[in-house]
């Protein structure tokens, strides 16, 4: 066990260093990501860790894609796309909470919640970063009025497609952990996609009023997406 822990620490440390060198995370963000990654792999094993790693890689690529164009739209990620510890916790804390509960109770419902929360943040990042580029007519989710790309709560058909794709990318990592594979696939994908839209709804209401910020919005959305994923799994099993 000590040897495995040492290997896990070494691998995660290298990934954290790589995130810092690639300017995906700042120093505090890299440390927070390493700590969160170690917690996830120790509690849940390789599959939730790979799901989270997929989110990180996909998020970096989506953020960097046509970044200069997003700058011209005034819709680019702040600080040149470099994220910090608060963003790491906003995107990963809900998954860690669900995973801790699963570790204690050993029920597939909480696997669904864990992966649906990761599916939410992955879908949200792809929908946000790629929707700004490909979403031609974004509209506010609350009123369907036209909105500028990057506006909190703005959605588009392209964004919804990328939200679904992002959720679906995460779902396969949950399948080796359950015998209810079809139900798990549906629960994670649907929960994640719904969670992305909850993120838009919170953004259009609470965040635009200054009640939440981007990171707390992400946390609430991923927490809700996880709960919805667990609910869908319970209903279809």
């Amino acid at each position: 066990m000590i040897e495995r822990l040492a290997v896990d620490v070494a691998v995660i440390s290298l990934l954290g260093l790589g995130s810092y060198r690639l300017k995906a995370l700042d120093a505090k963000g890299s440390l927070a990501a390493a700590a969160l990654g170690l917690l996830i792999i120790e509690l849940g094993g390789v599959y939730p860790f790979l799901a989270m790693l997929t989110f990180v890689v996909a998020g970096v690529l989506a953020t960097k894609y046509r970044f200069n164009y997003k700058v011209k739209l005034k819709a680019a990620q702040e600080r040149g796309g470099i994220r910090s510890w608060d963003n790491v916790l906003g995107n990963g804390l809900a998954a860690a909470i669900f995973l801790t509960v699963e570790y204690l109770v050993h029920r597939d419902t909480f696997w669904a919640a864990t992966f649906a929360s990761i599916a939410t943040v992955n879908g949200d990042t792809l929908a946000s970063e790629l929707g700004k580029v490909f979403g031609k007519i974004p509209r506010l989710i609350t009123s369907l009025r036209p909105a500028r790309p990057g506006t909190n709560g703005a959605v588009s058909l392209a964004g919804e497609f990328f939200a679904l794709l992002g959720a679906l990318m995460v779902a396969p990592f949950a399948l080796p952990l359950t015998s209810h594979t079809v139900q798990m696939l549906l629960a994670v994908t649907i929960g994640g996609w719904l969670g992305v839209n909850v993120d838009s709804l919170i953004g259009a209401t609470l965040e635009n009023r200054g009640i939440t910020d981007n990171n707390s919005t992400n946390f609430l959305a991923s927490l809700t997406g996880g709960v919805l994923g667990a609910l869908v799994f319970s209903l279809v099993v």
Side-chain angles (χ1 to χ4, degrees):
M1 181 175 179
I2 295 177
E3 292 82 357
R4 194 198 75 179
L5 178 60
V7 171
D8 290 345
V9 169
V11 170
I12 290 172
S13 297
L14 287 173
L15 290 173
L17 180 61
S19 297
Y20 177 74
R21 295 293 297 272
L22 291 172
K23 297 183 178 181
L25 297 169
D26 63 14
K28 292 181 180 179
S30 297
L31 290 173
L36 184 65
L38 185 61
L39 176 66
I40 287 174
I41 199 170
E42 292 304 313
L43 290 180
V46 68
Y47 293 111
F49 176 76
L50 289 176
M52 189 61 76
L53 182 61
T54 296
F55 156 64
V56 172
V57 173
V60 170
L61 293 176
T63 299
K64 300 297 183 184
Y65 181 73
R66 297 192 66 181
F67 190 81
N68 290 335
Y69 174 73
K70 297 171 193 174
V71 171
K72 292 179 181 178
L73 292 177
K74 297 182 179 180
Q77 179 73 25
E78 296 177 353
R79 301 177 62 204
I82 301 174
R83 293 172 167 89
S84 192
W85 66 271
D86 47 358
N87 188 268
V88 171
L89 293 183
N91 284 293
L93 184 58
I97 292 171
F98 290 127
L99 190 56
T100 300
V101 177
E102 194 288 324
Y103 182 80
L104 295 173
V105 303
H106 300 290
R107 297 192 61 176
D108 283 3
T109 302
F110 291 100
W111 280 128
T114 298
F115 286 93
S117 68
I118 301 173
T120 296
V121 296
N122 193 54
D124 177 60
T125 301
L126 295 191
S128 175
E129 296 296 339
L130 299 179
K132 295 170 186 175
V133 177
F134 296 102
K136 301 303 180 183
I137 311 176
R139 296 178 180 274
L140 280 177
I141 193 171
T142 50
S143 65
L144 298 182
R145 293 178 179 176
R148 183 175 59 82
T151 301
N152 293 328
V155 298
S156 65
L157 288 177
E160 292 296 323
F161 168 77
F162 287 116
L164 185 60
L165 177 63
L168 189 59
M169 285 171 59
V170 170
F173 294 105
L175 304 188
L177 300 170
T178 179
S179 59
H180 304 288
T181 54
V182 174
Q183 295 91 331
M184 183 66 75
L185 181 68
L186 289 173
V188 174
T189 303
I190 294 172
W193 180 77
L194 290 174
V196 176
N197 285 278
V198 169
D199 187 285
S200 297
L201 186 60
I202 295 173
T205 54
L206 300 182
E207 191 172 348
N208 278 339
R209 295 174 185 172
I211 299 173
T212 63
D213 60 11
N214 179 64
N215 299 315
S216 55
T217 295
N218 288 342
F219 170 70
L220 291 173
S222 59
L223 192 69
T224 305
V227 171
L228 291 172
L231 179 61
V232 171
F233 184 79
S234 298
L235 291 174
V236 298
V237 169

